[in-house]
Amino acid sequence: TNSAGASQDIIYEHNDYLFGFLPGVESKKQDLYSFIVKAATEVDNASHSTSSPEDRPCGSMGCNSTLHFAEIGSACRDNLDKVRKRYFGEIQPCGVVSANTTYDEFHLMLRKLKSSNVTILELSLLSVSQMRTITEIMEELQFNVYALICPARVLKSDFAAAVEFGWWQGSYILDSTPWLPDSIRAPGNFSNM
């Protein structure tokens, strides 16, 4: 969540989940990317002191070294590739989809991304139906990414309605959203705010 009152990134853990607040910045996208890297660093730092390399959450190499980025979208934004490379190193070519992309085409695309060890997946300019299909296939393939990002979607009414009516996977999708009273539909389970 972007928080105008936050002067620095704040990451905290509760029941094996990471939560956080980001200070307001020019680029919400860059801030979200840096937040993911910072969270991976926090996990690495915590696990390096308490566990053997084989028992660490992201394996012996650590979470930061396993951040591999890919995007699936109706339009690829190559202008962000330089920024993405700065945070995640090498990135996979964008998977371009249309309104007519079939289940089998999504399945093939996701199998390739899984075999490429993608851990950060961004879904850009997709319909809620397409996002639901992608999360369904990811479950089927046991393709578990560290972060599933969907910019500028979480506060949209169709997205919120899908989550409210049973698409629980949507509640795990990350977006850099402003903290505004009109964007909050109900008090949070954790914060009660």
Side-chain angles (χ1 to χ4, degrees), residues 145-174:
V145 294
Y146 299 155
L148 187 58
I149 304 167
C150 190
R153 260 331 240 142
V154 172
L155 292 180
K156 302 277 184 185
S157 60
D158 60 340
F159 187 96
V163 171
E164 187 176 330
F165 292 109
W167 180 46
W168 61 268
Q169 297 89 336
S171 63
Y172 288 91
I173 292 177
L174 300 178

Side-chain angles (χ1 to χ4, degrees), residues 56-110:
R56 292 184 184 142
C58 302
S60 62
M61 299 295 290
C63 296
N64 260 328
S65 65
T66 60
L67 296 177
H68 303 291
F69 182 91
E71 176 184 14
I72 295 175
S74 59
C76 294
R77 296 181 314 258
D78 298 333
N79 60 322
L80 289 174
D81 282 353
K82 186 182 281 186
V83 171
R84 293 169 176 155
K85 285 179 182 177
R86 186 174 67 219
Y87 289 106
F88 306 117
E90 195 164 325
I91 59 174
Q92 296 295 313
C94 180
V96 180
V97 300
S98 71
N100 301 321
T101 301
T102 67
Y103 184 93
D104 290 337
E105 290 168 324
F106 276 125
H107 203 280
L108 177 62
M109 195 179 301
L110 290 164

Side-chain angles (χ1 to χ4, degrees), residues 130-147:
Q130 289 173 315
M131 289 186 285
R132 290 181 77 143
T133 298
I134 287 171
T135 57
E136 179 184 318
I137 294 169
M138 290 177 74
E139 281 185 80
E140 178 186 321
L141 295 173
Q142 295 183 353
F143 180 17
N144 303 311
V145 294
Y146 299 155

